[in-house]
Amino acid sequence: MSSPDRNLVPDDASRTNPEASSSGDIKIGERGDLDGPDNEMKRAAAKKLIERYFYQLIDGCGNSNCNNIYCRSSESFVFKVNTLSANEAAAQAIQLFSQDARLCERHPNKMPRTHSQIMLNAKGVEKSSPTTAETDLPSNDLHLNLNTEPSCASSELKTEESIPYLTEQKCYEIIDLCEETGKYVPLVKILGAVFSNMSKLSNSFLQNDMNSPIDAMLDKTNADLTTLKKEDVRSLEGEKDKDEDSCVSPSAGGESRKTIPIVDLPSVRRAYRALFKLNTTHFEGSLVTALVTLASVLEIELKAKFINFTSDEIINIILIVFEIPALGTGDFVEMALPMLCRALEHLSLDLQAKLALAWSGPGRSNMQNILENLQQLITLRVITGFNTYTQDVQDDTVVTSATKLMKILYYANILAGVMESPDLREEYDDLKLSKTSYPIDPLATMLGVNVLDSRKPFIPFSEFYNEPLSDTVEMDRDFANFKSDLGKFSFMTYSFILTPPTKTLGLYFDNRIRMFDNRRISFMQSVIGQPSNPYLRLKVRRDHIIDDALVELEMIAMENPIDLKKQLVVEFENEQGIDEGGVSKEFFQLVIEEIFNPDYAMFTYQQDSQTVWFNPTSFENEAQFTLIGIVLGLAIYNNIILAVNFPMVLYRKLMGKRGSFEDLSEWNPTLYNSLKQMLEYNEPDLEDVFMQTFRISYQDVFGGLINHDLKENGDQVAVTQTNKFEFVEMYADFLLNKSVEKQFRAFYKGFQMVTDESPLELLFRPEEVELLICGSKTFNFNSLEQATEYDGGYTSDSPIIKHFWSVVHAFSIEEKRKLLQFTTGSDRVPIGGLSKLKLVIAKNGPDSDRLPTAHTCFNVLLLPEYSSKEKLKDRLVKAINYYQGFGML
């Protein structure tokens, strides 16, 4: 196996002066190769000699009898008391070069290496002497004991021997060696040694070429190296010290510690690709064991708050480890990854932020793999890892620690995607009755991240859902943990991992508990002689449903808005029926149909997007829009799905984000495409082509045009290449915000009257709020058939049931909607799909001419045992087409 450009260190054999003295020393005055006419060549040749000083300082010449005080091999080595870092050695090498210091002849990189020298001991490396049979190994074999620690790891961990680390080049060389010999012991040992040691791993694969760390130092000066003076060296050393002082360790109480370079992730990935092309049985066990050891040490270090390592070194370790492509498979996911997640649970807030920034920047291309590995770990643990009969999943440390780590990835995913300005966030604190709010995640605050700012995440948010976990978690217990003051883990605070149907349960429990609290208070008031209704009762006439409902809701909102948070009970005048949920469903359906009736002119219909929007010229007062907001809030509060068709921008606004240009793509696709075409037009004749000014026009309730100037004297200001972005922003802001501000504020106020204390914003993103209100758009009746239960003597094999599903599957979409409306009281698919509906088909007597009936409160269809498929279809079609007020109990 070969790789291009692997030689990171110059081949010193080609640069050794042939006139070296017999003592093995080279005198600076003998450097004839520096006398050439080309300055660049002189500089390059000088740099190569400085590199030889560098390796002489950190590795020595290999001569056990060396007496050069500037060589590590010498017993009289001047720096033997102190262990030099790479930067310190580089500075000293430059100074020795400027002083014409003694330079030994042999360079350790070109000494023959043996397999025994590759073996590591507890202090760093095994320094065995080569045997006679092994001295003929090729000169490019892997050398593990040549590099000193190139970072600021604590001096307590340093030894007199150098600490090896991995580079892409070293990986290639050890792989080549193993493939050539067919023996993989060297690979096993180096992986075990480096991946189990925080010092070694934190200094592996760094961006700077640590085999030649003098490059960064020499780049700071354009001085002629052949005439370098002591002042120049001091200047370089001063720059080094300045860099080291720029990083303050949080564990050192302000003591300065230098920042090490960030890991070179592309290099890591190439090295892993080469490694995992091998048969993994050769090294997987060693690597897994090393990672387990690493995780244990890392956990101790994190708990101790950075005693021995800087935050940059820890981030480098995490980045390198989580680039391992097989981390979610085999022994990695069963042994190493759980230990790593448990260790990283102790990451400090600033370290979490640094990791999120690293993953969102250079690490973004691997985020999908990291997410899949964490999902694999959680899924495996949920399915096989703990006893669901005796333990809650919230108590499983593997699942919870992996979820906490996934949160960091979640924020990184937002940062790596397309984001909008936080200036578009808008709080309507003056419209909220309650000041109750759930705490904002401190990591989100530190990163300045809000999910509302995410226009397009790097990875779709839906890929963060874990369905096995969502199906396993007991939301009643999780909700109790969420409300507890004991600091118990709750998935509700990590809602990104839960599917919308599961999160809906959390919201349902919150709403129900609040309803029961109000009911209990009403009962206590009645005991002490204060009449109080434990329910929010609405009595309406079917043919005056809007007038009756809105008048009653307006009175309640004015007199005692807290009553809006009681359980809703609806009664249609002169109609029998007890509201166990079905009557409320029909009530909301009828109200919505009337509200969006064009005769009311409260909303306009957007033909392109088939959505409705506030009418900016509506004659209705603000109170009417407030009542519409109350209706929408009551639907969520009472777990009712509505047939509304608002654009996504409405839900973004409800969650606190103003509409922007990109929202026009769903609000009015034709307008959006026209404006986008203008933005993408880069020719100088834009003014003549588009002929647009800062005056715009829109229609009033009667279809007439109304002109509006986006800025003063807008009709006199042409849109040009210079101001076209300003025009587009102002246009979108007017259409989505300013023109309907009065109507939306009233609508928002009504919505908040019901939902202000709800964890709605904590649990749901805008697109999930749309699902919560409108239900799913997928009509999968196969799922409904699989989830349906049977009663009264029917089974899935009954002939009438087989006929029923044959007829239903042949229905049009409109007929299927009517069937849902007839059997459940709503024509909308519940969030999570029809499999969540739990329809029950019960036998309602033998064959007869009666039409089917339904208990909409309980999703029960009462079906007589018709004698033929044709008769069944005839009776069922009639029932679903003439159902309102009849046939539903």
Side-chain angles (χ1 to χ4, degrees), residues 766-782:
E767 61 270 23
E768 293 173 324
V769 174
E770 182 187 31
L771 273 177
L772 184 65
I773 294 174
C774 304
S776 173
K777 298 179 180 179
T778 303
F779 276 77
N780 188 343
F781 269 68
N782 289 323

Side-chain angles (χ1 to χ4, degrees), residues 440-552:
I440 300 175
D441 188 342
L443 178 57
T445 302
M446 177 171 283
L447 292 170
V449 170
N450 190 308
V451 68
L452 294 175
D453 298 336
S454 178
R455 175 57 63 178
K456 183 180 180 181
F458 188 75
I459 302 171
F461 286 129
S462 58
E463 294 195 27
F464 282 82
Y465 298 148
N466 188 292
E467 293 188 6
L469 172 66
S470 299
D471 293 340
T472 301
V473 63
E474 297 288 343
M475 283 308 294
D476 53 347
R477 298 179 182 179
D478 195 78
F479 180 78
N481 288 352
F482 174 69
K483 288 294 187 178
S484 172
D485 296 328
L486 301 178
K488 293 184 177 181
F489 181 91
S490 170
F491 287 104
M492 287 182 65
T493 56
Y494 299 85
S495 59
F496 56 83
I497 200 172
L498 299 177
T499 59
T502 302
K503 287 189 279 193
T504 303
L505 285 176
L507 185 65
Y508 173 82
F509 288 128
D510 184 81
N511 294 339
R512 287 293 167 179
I513 288 174
R514 193 166 289 112
M515 290 178 186
F516 294 151
D517 284 344
N518 286 319
R519 193 179 305 174
R520 179 177 53 83
I521 292 172
S522 297
F523 175 77
M524 296 299 296
Q525 288 174 341
S526 64
V527 169
I528 62 175
Q530 296 181 3
S532 178
N533 196 329
Y535 299 98
L536 172 60
R537 292 189 178 275
L538 295 179
K539 187 174 183 178
V540 296
R541 295 168 293 176
R542 188 178 289 274
D543 53 350
H544 295 84
I545 191 168
I546 293 295
D547 294 337
D548 292 350
L550 297 189
V551 167
E552 288 197 44

Side-chain angles (χ1 to χ4, degrees), residues 225-376:
L225 296 181
T226 62
T227 60
L228 198 65
K229 299 177 181 179
K230 291 183 179 181
E231 291 76 10
D232 298 320
V233 177
R234 292 195 188 98
S235 174
L236 292 176
E237 291 179 309
E239 291 293 331
K240 171 182 71 70
D241 295 337
K242 182 178 178 182
D243 291 341
E244 291 181 1
D245 292 341
S246 65
C247 176
V248 178
S249 168
S251 65
E255 180 184 352
S256 63
R257 299 174 69 181
K258 67 185 178 184
T259 302
I260 67 171
I262 195 170
V263 66
D264 186 351
L265 289 178
S267 177
V268 174
R269 290 164 191 158
R270 290 191 296 269
Y272 280 146
R273 279 198 294 270
L275 179 64
F276 279 86
K277 284 181 181 178
L278 302 175
N279 187 333
T280 57
T281 58
H282 294 310
F283 63 85
E284 181 176 309
S286 173
L287 185 54
V288 170
T289 303
L291 290 175
V292 170
T293 302
L294 178 76
S296 300
V297 179
L298 181 59
E299 183 174 3
I300 294 172
E301 177 69 16
L302 292 175
K303 286 182 177 179
K305 308 297 183 186
F306 317 117
I307 291 179
N308 297 313
F309 296 90
T310 66
S311 60
D312 292 323
E313 289 171 314
I314 292 176
I315 292 298
N316 279 359
I317 291 170
I318 299 171
L319 291 177
I320 293 172
V321 168
F322 277 86
E323 288 289 332
I324 297 175
L327 204 57
T329 62
D331 289 341
F332 288 102
V333 74
E334 292 185 1
M335 299 174 60
L337 190 54
M339 292 284 290
L340 288 166
C341 289
R342 281 199 290 260
L344 298 182
E345 185 175 359
H346 302 285
L347 285 172
S348 63
L349 187 62
D350 63 325
L351 264 182
Q352 293 179 45
K354 283 188 176 183
L355 182 57
L357 292 172
W359 274 339
S360 67
R364 69 174 61 190
S365 61
N366 192 48
M367 279 202 297
Q368 181 76 50
N369 185 54
I370 298 173
L371 176 61
E372 290 175 358
N373 291 339
L374 292 175
Q375 293 282 34
Q376 181 74 5

Side-chain angles (χ1 to χ4, degrees), residues 94-191:
I94 295 173
Q95 187 168 354
L96 292 177
F97 170 83
S98 68
Q99 295 172 349
D100 284 357
R102 178 180 170 185
L103 183 64
C104 295
E105 179 181 15
R106 301 180 69 188
H107 189 288
N109 259 13
K110 298 305 152 190
M111 294 176 62
R113 299 292 171 176
T114 71
H115 290 296
S116 63
Q117 285 176 305
I118 296 175
M119 296 177 63
L120 303 170
N121 62 19
K123 298 180 75 175
V125 294
E126 180 72 43
K127 293 202 170 182
S128 303
S129 299
T131 62
T132 305
E134 292 171 325
T135 54
D136 295 329
L137 288 174
S139 62
N140 66 341
D141 281 349
L142 178 65
H143 314 306
L144 304 182
N145 60 341
L146 303 181
N147 298 284
T148 190
E149 181 187 20
S151 77
C152 56
S154 172
S155 60
E156 290 107 1
L157 297 182
K158 296 178 179 179
T159 66
E160 291 185 3
E161 297 185 80
S162 57
I163 299 178
Y165 54 88
L166 277 178
T167 64
E168 180 183 358
Q169 175 69 12
K170 289 181 180 181
C171 287
Y172 291 148
E173 291 176 354
I174 190 65
I175 290 171
D176 286 347
L177 176 64
C178 292
E179 288 188 321
E180 288 172 7
T181 63
K183 298 179 180 180
Y184 292 87
V185 173
L187 176 63
V188 169
K189 290 186 177 292
I190 187 62
L191 291 178

Side-chain angles (χ1 to χ4, degrees), residues 786-802:
Q786 293 173 5
T788 297
E789 299 176 357
Y790 305 95
D791 195 11
Y794 285 155
T795 68
S796 59
D797 295 325
S798 299
I800 184 68
I801 296 301
K802 291 184 176 180

